[in-house]
Amino acid sequence: LSTVDLQTLGGGRRRFSLKVWLPVSILLGALLIAPVLGLSSFIQSLIIEIFVFSLLALSLNVLLGYTGLVSLGHAAFFAIGGYAIAIISVRWSTEIMLIAPLAVASAALWAVPIGWLSIRLSGFYFLMITLAFAQMISIAAVRWKSLTGGSDGILVPQPMLFGNPVLQDRQSIYYFTLVVFVASVLVVYLIVSSRFGRTLAGIRENSLRMRALGYNVGLYKLIAFVIAASVAGLAGAMNTVFNLFIDPGAADWTQSALVLVMVLIGGAGFFVGPIVGAAIVLILEHWLSSHTEHWGLVLGLLFIGLITFAREGLAGVAASALGVGDGGNR
Amino acid sequence: VIEFIAVQSLNALVYSMLLFLLALGLSLTFGLLRVVNLTHGAFFLMGAYFGLSAWQLTHSFWLCVVLAPLCTALLGALLEKFFLERFYTRSPLDQVILTFGFALVFADIMKMIWGKEIRSLSPPSALSGSIEIGSVSFPVYRLMLIGVGLSLFVFTWLVIERTRVGALVRASVADRIMVSGLGFDVRSLFTLVFAFGVALAGLAGVLGAPITSIYPGLDFEVLITTLIVVVVGGLGSIFGAFWASLLIGFAETYGKAFYPAIASFIIFGLMAAALLFRSGGEDEEEPA
């Protein structure tokens, strides 16, 4: 199964086997032709949302699963990317090939000082300081009205693609997000399965030993932080382009907590874990919120059950059920 | 100007004392159990709701003040016995997820039982008046809250520093394996301390209800502020919790009076600064 083959364990070589590529290509093919075959606009929106949040969860997993840093402030960079693209497109340009990279750059730029300060701490203290910074950004989003529109948020004009107003309907946004998603997943995959990614896993397992081996642990953590923030910024930018709207809810700490849960449900440290987790949480949320208003209750029970019975997430359960891979890779 | 400062300082003191009750409970559980308890805010709100129900049943504010913390303590003890106990050896992240899960579940159950409206609890008639000092009038109830906060500070300090149970708690914070090796029942001690911490949250909830009013969402607001206080004060320290409550209480009250836009910005800044300065630039590794 792809979950097993794609997981990166310390020093594990990636295998481009048929077992990986067959399901991935089938899934991709299905995603490509589904809208043409008359996939309803509601489902298309849901899938776009899954792309966006998978990307966000994937970026958090670079910190959580690979580097072992638990951030409770990741939504801050999602919001920075989202606000950056909104502010730029209202004031200067709506060319997406220009403004999306600018949004990513803003998230990365903010991640440098925040990461530089945060990585001095670890464990619970890292969690608290990322929360503190994220809350400051969230407060700024509410209070800095001239820039962010306060709690009313910002309405964003339709973006252009190479000067053409093609991103008008649901379907073209669907294909655009699909392309961005696949490209970003590939980039993140290449990063975490590279020598750099395995160094991060080494830091997660034993940062003292990595330091003794001569690695600049702080620098590696900072780079991981900036990469994670950049991808989160891209997810935020996509989210704004999809909704044509952003408000301070994007920066809320509950958003950070929800993403954390997506990663854990799927399985932290497994490459596809966050994608699976994001899909499950969003599908559950849509399905349940049409049946019950007690979404929080279900989510809470999900956390409790998950952490008590399936610590490694679904990818971990799948791996140990098949008796392959090291389920306890944390 | 003096009146303004007097009123603001009084309000800040009241707010600080509520924060202190909350932070004391959280800090004790953190110091002894080394558990990150994100249900603390839920127990605060639960205390307020239990107080509300107790008031509707008995129409006695004093019974509320006794019943609400007892009920929360009972629930807390059950939570500790059946769930948290298994998580003492797990990573902080696991504890965060477990207790956050419970916080969400509690929040929704409270919404089911007590509804989504803003509810209020009035202070007892004996304390509803106010005292005039010069040209400023202080509500008696708020003055009483300050008294309660201060006496609990002294009480807890005495229990921890001067009694046998307190000595056991301090010893377990230092080395719990050694203490249980000496034949003491550390498990029950943990349950007791957790229940006490949660009872303090419940007490803060019912006592604070006449001031804050009661509404869904209050639990998470309170949780975040309490976490800040505990982090600023240092985990497991009673004195730290006390001074940090005063610092955060005054910073937030005066911040709201002078710079409402950035009041909460200041307290998160204080937390970040406290975290960075305490660490002294070194990695703070979590106990395994």
Side-chain angles (χ1 to χ4, degrees), chain A residues 70 120-122 124-125 128 136 143 264 293-294 297 303 307 311, chain B residues 36 90 93-94 97 100 108 112 116 235 261 265 269 279 282-284:
Chain A
V70 187
R120 285 146 199 274
L121 306 166
S122 63
F124 174 70
Y125 299 96
M128 288 308 292
M136 289 189 200
R143 296 292 182 174
L264 290 169
E293 54 180 310
H294 301 297
L297 181 70
F303 291 9
I307 210 69
R311 178 60 187 83
Chain B
V36 187
R90 311 254 306 245
L93 174 64
D94 291 16
I97 297 296
F100 187 64
D108 244 28
M112 280 182 213
K116 290 179 189 163
L235 306 167
F265 211 86
S279 77
E282 287 295 308
D283 274 14
E284 288 198 34

PDB file of all heavy atoms in Angstrom, chain A residues 70 120-122 124-125 128 136 143 264 293-294 297 303 307 311, chain B residues 36 90 93-94 97 100 108 112 116 235 261 265 269 279 282-284:
ATOM      1  N   VAL A  70       5.990  20.325  17.870  1.00  0.00           N
ATOM      2  CA  VAL A  70       4.536  20.441  17.872  1.00  0.00           C
ATOM      3  C   VAL A  70       4.145  21.905  17.914  1.00  0.00           C
ATOM      4  O   VAL A  70       4.261  22.557  18.944  1.00  0.00           O
ATOM      5  CB  VAL A  70       3.929  19.724  19.087  1.00  0.00           C
ATOM      6  CG1 VAL A  70       2.422  19.726  18.974  1.00  0.00           C
ATOM      7  CG2 VAL A  70       4.466  18.329  19.194  1.00  0.00           C
ATOM      8  N   ARG A 120      14.128  27.924  19.847  1.00  0.00           N
ATOM      9  CA  ARG A 120      14.942  27.820  21.060  1.00  0.00           C
ATOM     10  C   ARG A 120      14.275  26.945  22.100  1.00  0.00           C
ATOM     11  O   ARG A 120      14.906  26.512  23.055  1.00  0.00           O
ATOM     12  CB  ARG A 120      15.117  29.210  21.669  1.00  0.00           C
ATOM     13  CG  ARG A 120      16.084  30.037  20.903  1.00  0.00           C
ATOM     14  CD  ARG A 120      15.685  31.484  20.924  1.00  0.00           C
ATOM     15  NE  ARG A 120      16.369  32.120  19.822  1.00  0.00           N
ATOM     16  CZ  ARG A 120      17.602  32.580  19.934  1.00  0.00           C
ATOM     17  NH1 ARG A 120      18.207  32.543  21.074  1.00  0.00           N
ATOM     18  NH2 ARG A 120      18.199  33.093  18.889  1.00  0.00           N
ATOM     19  N   LEU A 121      12.963  26.756  21.948  1.00  0.00           N
ATOM     20  CA  LEU A 121      12.219  25.977  22.930  1.00  0.00           C
ATOM     21  C   LEU A 121      11.807  24.659  22.292  1.00  0.00           C
ATOM     22  O   LEU A 121      11.818  24.507  21.084  1.00  0.00           O
ATOM     23  CB  LEU A 121      10.975  26.747  23.367  1.00  0.00           C
ATOM     24  CG  LEU A 121      11.242  28.162  23.873  1.00  0.00           C
ATOM     25  CD1 LEU A 121       9.953  28.933  23.952  1.00  0.00           C
ATOM     26  CD2 LEU A 121      11.916  28.110  25.225  1.00  0.00           C
ATOM     27  N   SER A 122      11.437  23.704  23.162  1.00  0.00           N
ATOM     28  CA  SER A 122      10.928  22.461  22.590  1.00  0.00           C
ATOM     29  C   SER A 122       9.780  21.954  23.448  1.00  0.00           C
ATOM     30  O   SER A 122       9.468  22.515  24.485  1.00  0.00           O
ATOM     31  CB  SER A 122      12.041  21.417  22.507  1.00  0.00           C
ATOM     32  OG  SER A 122      12.485  21.098  23.809  1.00  0.00           O
ATOM     33  N   PHE A 124       6.426  21.216  25.194  1.00  0.00           N
ATOM     34  CA  PHE A 124       5.282  22.046  25.564  1.00  0.00           C
ATOM     35  C   PHE A 124       5.571  23.533  25.383  1.00  0.00           C
ATOM     36  O   PHE A 124       4.698  24.306  24.998  1.00  0.00           O
ATOM     37  CB  PHE A 124       4.912  21.754  27.016  1.00  0.00           C
ATOM     38  CG  PHE A 124       3.845  22.652  27.567  1.00  0.00           C
ATOM     39  CD1 PHE A 124       2.538  22.548  27.116  1.00  0.00           C
ATOM     40  CD2 PHE A 124       4.150  23.602  28.522  1.00  0.00           C
ATOM     41  CE1 PHE A 124       1.553  23.370  27.619  1.00  0.00           C
ATOM     42  CE2 PHE A 124       3.165  24.430  29.034  1.00  0.00           C
ATOM     43  CZ  PHE A 124       1.874  24.311  28.577  1.00  0.00           C
ATOM     44  N   TYR A 125       6.827  23.930  25.648  1.00  0.00           N
ATOM     45  CA  TYR A 125       7.169  25.348  25.553  1.00  0.00           C
ATOM     46  C   TYR A 125       7.144  25.834  24.111  1.00  0.00           C
ATOM     47  O   TYR A 125       6.756  26.962  23.828  1.00  0.00           O
ATOM     48  CB  TYR A 125       8.535  25.600  26.196  1.00  0.00           C
ATOM     49  CG  TYR A 125       8.550  25.247  27.656  1.00  0.00           C
ATOM     50  CD1 TYR A 125       8.997  24.009  28.088  1.00  0.00           C
ATOM     51  CD2 TYR A 125       8.062  26.141  28.601  1.00  0.00           C
ATOM     52  CE1 TYR A 125       8.977  23.677  29.435  1.00  0.00           C
ATOM     53  CE2 TYR A 125       8.041  25.816  29.943  1.00  0.00           C
ATOM     54  CZ  TYR A 125       8.496  24.581  30.355  1.00  0.00           C
ATOM     55  OH  TYR A 125       8.466  24.261  31.679  1.00  0.00           O
ATOM     56  N   MET A 128       3.554  26.416  23.307  1.00  0.00           N
ATOM     57  CA  MET A 128       3.009  27.644  23.879  1.00  0.00           C
ATOM     58  C   MET A 128       3.513  28.883  23.145  1.00  0.00           C
ATOM     59  O   MET A 128       2.776  29.850  22.952  1.00  0.00           O
ATOM     60  CB  MET A 128       3.376  27.753  25.363  1.00  0.00           C
ATOM     61  CG  MET A 128       2.642  26.792  26.273  1.00  0.00           C
ATOM     62  SD  MET A 128       0.857  26.830  26.091  1.00  0.00           S
ATOM     63  CE  MET A 128       0.472  28.443  26.723  1.00  0.00           C
ATOM     64  N   MET A 136      -0.975  36.654  18.510  1.00  0.00           N
ATOM     65  CA  MET A 136      -0.652  38.047  18.207  1.00  0.00           C
ATOM     66  C   MET A 136      -1.050  38.376  16.772  1.00  0.00           C
ATOM     67  O   MET A 136      -1.608  39.439  16.497  1.00  0.00           O
ATOM     68  CB  MET A 136       0.844  38.281  18.388  1.00  0.00           C
ATOM     69  CG  MET A 136       1.290  38.251  19.827  1.00  0.00           C
ATOM     70  SD  MET A 136       2.993  38.791  19.873  1.00  0.00           S
ATOM     71  CE  MET A 136       3.534  38.186  21.390  1.00  0.00           C
ATOM     72  N   ARG A 143      -7.581  43.730  14.697  1.00  0.00           N
ATOM     73  CA  ARG A 143      -7.450  45.124  15.121  1.00  0.00           C
ATOM     74  C   ARG A 143      -6.900  46.072  14.068  1.00  0.00           C
ATOM     75  O   ARG A 143      -7.180  47.258  14.110  1.00  0.00           O
ATOM     76  CB  ARG A 143      -6.542  45.193  16.356  1.00  0.00           C
ATOM     77  CG  ARG A 143      -7.108  44.483  17.559  1.00  0.00           C
ATOM     78  CD  ARG A 143      -8.334  45.206  18.077  1.00  0.00           C
ATOM     79  NE  ARG A 143      -8.870  44.565  19.267  1.00  0.00           N
ATOM     80  CZ  ARG A 143      -9.861  45.064  19.973  1.00  0.00           C
ATOM     81  NH1 ARG A 143     -10.427  46.189  19.610  1.00  0.00           N
ATOM     82  NH2 ARG A 143     -10.306  44.426  21.025  1.00  0.00           N
ATOM     83  N   LEU A 264      -2.623  14.148  12.960  1.00  0.00           N
ATOM     84  CA  LEU A 264      -2.570  13.013  13.876  1.00  0.00           C
ATOM     85  C   LEU A 264      -3.525  11.907  13.465  1.00  0.00           C
ATOM     86  O   LEU A 264      -3.226  10.727  13.616  1.00  0.00           O
ATOM     87  CB  LEU A 264      -2.886  13.481  15.301  1.00  0.00           C
ATOM     88  CG  LEU A 264      -1.782  14.342  15.891  1.00  0.00           C
ATOM     89  CD1 LEU A 264      -2.250  14.991  17.168  1.00  0.00           C
ATOM     90  CD2 LEU A 264      -0.544  13.500  16.148  1.00  0.00           C
ATOM     91  N   GLU A 293     -25.688  19.364  15.139  1.00  0.00           N
ATOM     92  CA  GLU A 293     -24.930  20.581  15.427  1.00  0.00           C
ATOM     93  C   GLU A 293     -23.806  20.306  16.411  1.00  0.00           C
ATOM     94  O   GLU A 293     -23.070  21.195  16.781  1.00  0.00           O
ATOM     95  CB  GLU A 293     -25.863  21.673  15.960  1.00  0.00           C
ATOM     96  CG  GLU A 293     -26.685  21.223  17.144  1.00  0.00           C
ATOM     97  CD  GLU A 293     -27.603  22.322  17.645  1.00  0.00           C
ATOM     98  OE1 GLU A 293     -27.107  23.439  17.847  1.00  0.00           O
ATOM     99  OE2 GLU A 293     -28.804  22.058  17.818  1.00  0.00           O
ATOM    100  N   HIS A 294     -23.702  19.047  16.829  1.00  0.00           N
ATOM    101  CA  HIS A 294     -22.694  18.742  17.841  1.00  0.00           C
ATOM    102  C   HIS A 294     -21.408  18.241  17.209  1.00  0.00           C
ATOM    103  O   HIS A 294     -20.900  17.176  17.543  1.00  0.00           O
ATOM    104  CB  HIS A 294     -23.246  17.744  18.848  1.00  0.00           C
ATOM    105  CG  HIS A 294     -24.459  18.262  19.533  1.00  0.00           C
ATOM    106  ND1 HIS A 294     -24.420  19.383  20.326  1.00  0.00           N
ATOM    107  CD2 HIS A 294     -25.738  17.854  19.522  1.00  0.00           C
ATOM    108  CE1 HIS A 294     -25.636  19.621  20.782  1.00  0.00           C
ATOM    109  NE2 HIS A 294     -26.451  18.717  20.300  1.00  0.00           N
ATOM    110  N   LEU A 297     -18.524  17.786  19.698  1.00  0.00           N
ATOM    111  CA  LEU A 297     -18.597  16.558  20.488  1.00  0.00           C
ATOM    112  C   LEU A 297     -17.978  15.398  19.726  1.00  0.00           C
ATOM    113  O   LEU A 297     -17.147  14.651  20.249  1.00  0.00           O
ATOM    114  CB  LEU A 297     -20.066  16.262  20.814  1.00  0.00           C
ATOM    115  CG  LEU A 297     -20.340  15.024  21.656  1.00  0.00           C
ATOM    116  CD1 LEU A 297     -19.864  15.230  23.063  1.00  0.00           C
ATOM    117  CD2 LEU A 297     -21.817  14.692  21.633  1.00  0.00           C
ATOM    118  N   PHE A 303     -10.806  12.584  18.878  1.00  0.00           N
ATOM    119  CA  PHE A 303      -9.464  12.797  19.454  1.00  0.00           C
ATOM    120  C   PHE A 303      -9.176  11.772  20.534  1.00  0.00           C
ATOM    121  O   PHE A 303      -8.114  11.167  20.585  1.00  0.00           O
ATOM    122  CB  PHE A 303      -9.359  14.150  20.167  1.00  0.00           C
ATOM    123  CG  PHE A 303      -9.404  15.335  19.304  1.00  0.00           C
ATOM    124  CD1 PHE A 303      -9.701  15.242  17.984  1.00  0.00           C
ATOM    125  CD2 PHE A 303      -9.127  16.582  19.838  1.00  0.00           C
ATOM    126  CE1 PHE A 303      -9.749  16.364  17.208  1.00  0.00           C
ATOM    127  CE2 PHE A 303      -9.161  17.701  19.073  1.00  0.00           C
ATOM    128  CZ  PHE A 303      -9.485  17.600  17.763  1.00  0.00           C
ATOM    129  N   ILE A 307      -6.296   8.991  20.302  1.00  0.00           N
ATOM    130  CA  ILE A 307      -5.080   9.080  21.108  1.00  0.00           C
ATOM    131  C   ILE A 307      -5.003   7.897  22.068  1.00  0.00           C
ATOM    132  O   ILE A 307      -3.925   7.475  22.478  1.00  0.00           O
ATOM    133  CB  ILE A 307      -5.034  10.444  21.854  1.00  0.00           C
ATOM    134  CG1 ILE A 307      -3.596  10.867  22.043  1.00  0.00           C
ATOM    135  CG2 ILE A 307      -5.760  10.424  23.143  1.00  0.00           C
ATOM    136  CD1 ILE A 307      -2.917  11.239  20.775  1.00  0.00           C
ATOM    137  N   ARG A 311      -2.626   5.527  18.318  1.00  0.00           N
ATOM    138  CA  ARG A 311      -1.689   6.619  18.443  1.00  0.00           C
ATOM    139  C   ARG A 311      -0.991   6.973  17.130  1.00  0.00           C
ATOM    140  O   ARG A 311      -0.639   8.122  16.897  1.00  0.00           O
ATOM    141  CB  ARG A 311      -0.648   6.263  19.512  1.00  0.00           C
ATOM    142  CG  ARG A 311       0.427   7.281  19.740  1.00  0.00           C
ATOM    143  CD  ARG A 311      -0.191   8.595  20.172  1.00  0.00           C
ATOM    144  NE  ARG A 311       0.803   9.640  20.250  1.00  0.00           N
ATOM    145  CZ  ARG A 311       1.202  10.337  19.201  1.00  0.00           C
ATOM    146  NH1 ARG A 311       0.705  10.082  18.012  1.00  0.00           N
ATOM    147  NH2 ARG A 311       2.102  11.283  19.340  1.00  0.00           N
TER     148      ARG A 311
ATOM    149  N   VAL B  36      -0.310  18.335  30.754  1.00  0.00           N
ATOM    150  CA  VAL B  36      -0.853  19.547  30.183  1.00  0.00           C
ATOM    151  C   VAL B  36      -2.358  19.383  30.151  1.00  0.00           C
ATOM    152  O   VAL B  36      -2.888  18.585  29.389  1.00  0.00           O
ATOM    153  CB  VAL B  36      -0.330  19.752  28.748  1.00  0.00           C
ATOM    154  CG1 VAL B  36      -0.759  21.087  28.226  1.00  0.00           C
ATOM    155  CG2 VAL B  36       1.168  19.600  28.710  1.00  0.00           C
ATOM    156  N   ARG B  90       3.168   9.253  28.604  1.00  0.00           N
ATOM    157  CA  ARG B  90       3.155   9.555  27.174  1.00  0.00           C
ATOM    158  C   ARG B  90       3.663  10.973  26.935  1.00  0.00           C
ATOM    159  O   ARG B  90       3.893  11.746  27.859  1.00  0.00           O
ATOM    160  CB  ARG B  90       1.726   9.408  26.625  1.00  0.00           C
ATOM    161  CG  ARG B  90       1.080   8.095  27.031  1.00  0.00           C
ATOM    162  CD  ARG B  90       0.977   7.099  25.932  1.00  0.00           C
ATOM    163  NE  ARG B  90       0.318   7.582  24.754  1.00  0.00           N
ATOM    164  CZ  ARG B  90      -0.840   7.097  24.299  1.00  0.00           C
ATOM    165  NH1 ARG B  90      -1.476   6.181  24.972  1.00  0.00           N
ATOM    166  NH2 ARG B  90      -1.342   7.538  23.179  1.00  0.00           N
ATOM    167  N   LEU B  93       2.418  15.932  23.730  1.00  0.00           N
ATOM    168  CA  LEU B  93       1.474  16.082  22.618  1.00  0.00           C
ATOM    169  C   LEU B  93       0.256  15.188  22.824  1.00  0.00           C
ATOM    170  O   LEU B  93      -0.885  15.602  22.605  1.00  0.00           O
ATOM    171  CB  LEU B  93       2.159  15.742  21.292  1.00  0.00           C
ATOM    172  CG  LEU B  93       1.222  15.726  20.096  1.00  0.00           C
ATOM    173  CD1 LEU B  93       0.643  17.103  19.833  1.00  0.00           C
ATOM    174  CD2 LEU B  93       1.919  15.222  18.853  1.00  0.00           C
ATOM    175  N   ASP B  94       0.484  13.947  23.265  1.00  0.00           N
ATOM    176  CA  ASP B  94      -0.628  13.025  23.502  1.00  0.00           C
ATOM    177  C   ASP B  94      -1.554  13.577  24.566  1.00  0.00           C
ATOM    178  O   ASP B  94      -2.779  13.496  24.451  1.00  0.00           O
ATOM    179  CB  ASP B  94      -0.104  11.657  23.953  1.00  0.00           C
ATOM    180  CG  ASP B  94       0.609  10.938  22.826  1.00  0.00           C
ATOM    181  OD1 ASP B  94       0.951  11.611  21.842  1.00  0.00           O
ATOM    182  OD2 ASP B  94       0.829   9.725  22.942  1.00  0.00           O
ATOM    183  N   ILE B  97      -3.628  16.415  23.128  1.00  0.00           N
ATOM    184  CA  ILE B  97      -4.729  15.961  22.275  1.00  0.00           C
ATOM    185  C   ILE B  97      -5.846  15.357  23.118  1.00  0.00           C
ATOM    186  O   ILE B  97      -7.027  15.654  22.914  1.00  0.00           O
ATOM    187  CB  ILE B  97      -4.217  14.921  21.251  1.00  0.00           C
ATOM    188  CG1 ILE B  97      -3.181  15.553  20.326  1.00  0.00           C
ATOM    189  CG2 ILE B  97      -5.370  14.346  20.447  1.00  0.00           C
ATOM    190  CD1 ILE B  97      -3.704  16.645  19.475  1.00  0.00           C
ATOM    191  N   PHE B 100      -7.552  18.153  25.065  1.00  0.00           N
ATOM    192  CA  PHE B 100      -8.276  19.031  24.146  1.00  0.00           C
ATOM    193  C   PHE B 100      -9.553  18.344  23.668  1.00  0.00           C
ATOM    194  O   PHE B 100     -10.606  18.974  23.559  1.00  0.00           O
ATOM    195  CB  PHE B 100      -7.382  19.405  22.955  1.00  0.00           C
ATOM    196  CG  PHE B 100      -7.982  20.440  22.051  1.00  0.00           C
ATOM    197  CD1 PHE B 100      -8.233  21.711  22.519  1.00  0.00           C
ATOM    198  CD2 PHE B 100      -8.300  20.143  20.741  1.00  0.00           C
ATOM    199  CE1 PHE B 100      -8.794  22.673  21.692  1.00  0.00           C
ATOM    200  CE2 PHE B 100      -8.860  21.099  19.909  1.00  0.00           C
ATOM    201  CZ  PHE B 100      -9.107  22.361  20.388  1.00  0.00           C
ATOM    202  N   ASP B 108     -19.422  20.871  24.320  1.00  0.00           N
ATOM    203  CA  ASP B 108     -20.668  20.551  23.625  1.00  0.00           C
ATOM    204  C   ASP B 108     -21.730  20.016  24.572  1.00  0.00           C
ATOM    205  O   ASP B 108     -22.911  20.333  24.432  1.00  0.00           O
ATOM    206  CB  ASP B 108     -20.387  19.539  22.511  1.00  0.00           C
ATOM    207  CG  ASP B 108     -20.683  20.129  21.154  1.00  0.00           C
ATOM    208  OD1 ASP B 108     -20.573  21.363  21.033  1.00  0.00           O
ATOM    209  OD2 ASP B 108     -21.054  19.379  20.240  1.00  0.00           O
ATOM    210  N   MET B 112     -25.464  21.439  25.359  1.00  0.00           N
ATOM    211  CA  MET B 112     -26.692  20.646  25.312  1.00  0.00           C
ATOM    212  C   MET B 112     -27.507  20.851  26.581  1.00  0.00           C
ATOM    213  O   MET B 112     -28.720  20.963  26.539  1.00  0.00           O
ATOM    214  CB  MET B 112     -26.349  19.157  25.209  1.00  0.00           C
ATOM    215  CG  MET B 112     -25.976  18.686  23.833  1.00  0.00           C
ATOM    216  SD  MET B 112     -25.675  16.899  23.939  1.00  0.00           S
ATOM    217  CE  MET B 112     -24.399  16.726  22.725  1.00  0.00           C
ATOM    218  N   LYS B 116     -27.263  27.828  24.751  1.00  0.00           N
ATOM    219  CA  LYS B 116     -26.214  28.682  24.206  1.00  0.00           C
ATOM    220  C   LYS B 116     -26.335  30.126  24.664  1.00  0.00           C
ATOM    221  O   LYS B 116     -25.501  30.956  24.348  1.00  0.00           O
ATOM    222  CB  LYS B 116     -26.291  28.676  22.674  1.00  0.00           C
ATOM    223  CG  LYS B 116     -25.887  27.366  22.050  1.00  0.00           C
ATOM    224  CD  LYS B 116     -26.020  27.449  20.549  1.00  0.00           C
ATOM    225  CE  LYS B 116     -25.838  26.101  19.913  1.00  0.00           C
ATOM    226  NZ  LYS B 116     -26.345  26.089  18.536  1.00  0.00           N
ATOM    227  N   LEU B 235       5.912  26.757  35.804  1.00  0.00           N
ATOM    228  CA  LEU B 235       5.030  25.624  36.066  1.00  0.00           C
ATOM    229  C   LEU B 235       5.259  25.062  37.455  1.00  0.00           C
ATOM    230  O   LEU B 235       6.380  24.826  37.863  1.00  0.00           O
ATOM    231  CB  LEU B 235       5.282  24.539  35.020  1.00  0.00           C
ATOM    232  CG  LEU B 235       5.164  25.055  33.583  1.00  0.00           C
ATOM    233  CD1 LEU B 235       5.714  24.045  32.612  1.00  0.00           C
ATOM    234  CD2 LEU B 235       3.725  25.379  33.264  1.00  0.00           C
ATOM    235  N   ALA B 261      -7.033  48.357  21.827  1.00  0.00           N
ATOM    236  CA  ALA B 261      -6.730  47.613  20.613  1.00  0.00           C
ATOM    237  C   ALA B 261      -5.653  46.569  20.840  1.00  0.00           C
ATOM    238  O   ALA B 261      -5.653  45.522  20.203  1.00  0.00           O
ATOM    239  CB  ALA B 261      -6.309  48.577  19.501  1.00  0.00           C
ATOM    240  N   PHE B 265      -2.731  41.732  22.942  1.00  0.00           N
ATOM    241  CA  PHE B 265      -1.419  41.660  22.311  1.00  0.00           C
ATOM    242  C   PHE B 265      -0.329  41.686  23.383  1.00  0.00           C
ATOM    243  O   PHE B 265       0.629  40.919  23.340  1.00  0.00           O
ATOM    244  CB  PHE B 265      -1.257  42.876  21.397  1.00  0.00           C
ATOM    245  CG  PHE B 265      -0.410  42.625  20.206  1.00  0.00           C
ATOM    246  CD1 PHE B 265      -0.980  42.100  19.062  1.00  0.00           C
ATOM    247  CD2 PHE B 265       0.940  42.918  20.220  1.00  0.00           C
ATOM    248  CE1 PHE B 265      -0.204  41.864  17.951  1.00  0.00           C
ATOM    249  CE2 PHE B 265       1.723  42.687  19.109  1.00  0.00           C
ATOM    250  CZ  PHE B 265       1.151  42.156  17.971  1.00  0.00           C
ATOM    251  N   GLY B 269       2.499  38.900  24.327  1.00  0.00           N
ATOM    252  CA  GLY B 269       3.897  39.330  24.270  1.00  0.00           C
ATOM    253  C   GLY B 269       4.617  38.991  25.562  1.00  0.00           C
ATOM    254  O   GLY B 269       5.747  38.493  25.548  1.00  0.00           O
ATOM    255  N   SER B 279      14.038  30.390  29.287  1.00  0.00           N
ATOM    256  CA  SER B 279      14.828  29.317  28.670  1.00  0.00           C
ATOM    257  C   SER B 279      16.295  29.708  28.587  1.00  0.00           C
ATOM    258  O   SER B 279      17.153  28.846  28.503  1.00  0.00           O
ATOM    259  CB  SER B 279      14.307  29.022  27.276  1.00  0.00           C
ATOM    260  OG  SER B 279      14.753  30.017  26.392  1.00  0.00           O
ATOM    261  N   GLU B 282      18.596  28.178  25.961  1.00  0.00           N
ATOM    262  CA  GLU B 282      18.889  26.743  25.931  1.00  0.00           C
ATOM    263  C   GLU B 282      17.637  25.974  25.538  1.00  0.00           C
ATOM    264  O   GLU B 282      16.525  26.416  25.776  1.00  0.00           O
ATOM    265  CB  GLU B 282      19.333  26.277  27.321  1.00  0.00           C
ATOM    266  CG  GLU B 282      20.721  26.717  27.704  1.00  0.00           C
ATOM    267  CD  GLU B 282      21.769  26.094  26.807  1.00  0.00           C
ATOM    268  OE1 GLU B 282      21.767  24.862  26.655  1.00  0.00           O
ATOM    269  OE2 GLU B 282      22.588  26.851  26.249  1.00  0.00           O
ATOM    270  N   ASP B 283      17.822  24.816  24.977  1.00  0.00           N
ATOM    271  CA  ASP B 283      16.686  23.931  24.723  1.00  0.00           C
ATOM    272  C   ASP B 283      16.149  23.450  26.063  1.00  0.00           C
ATOM    273  O   ASP B 283      16.915  23.018  26.918  1.00  0.00           O
ATOM    274  CB  ASP B 283      17.131  22.714  23.931  1.00  0.00           C
ATOM    275  CG  ASP B 283      17.119  23.015  22.447  1.00  0.00           C
ATOM    276  OD1 ASP B 283      17.026  24.194  22.085  1.00  0.00           O
ATOM    277  OD2 ASP B 283      17.200  22.058  21.687  1.00  0.00           O
ATOM    278  N   GLU B 284      14.829  23.561  26.243  1.00  0.00           N
ATOM    279  CA  GLU B 284      14.250  22.969  27.435  1.00  0.00           C
ATOM    280  C   GLU B 284      13.681  21.625  27.048  1.00  0.00           C
ATOM    281  O   GLU B 284      12.612  21.529  26.473  1.00  0.00           O
ATOM    282  CB  GLU B 284      13.158  23.862  28.014  1.00  0.00           C
ATOM    283  CG  GLU B 284      13.733  25.092  28.665  1.00  0.00           C
ATOM    284  CD  GLU B 284      12.749  25.752  29.608  1.00  0.00           C
ATOM    285  OE1 GLU B 284      11.962  25.050  30.254  1.00  0.00           O
ATOM    286  OE2 GLU B 284      12.772  26.976  29.684  1.00  0.00           O
TER     287      GLU B 284
END
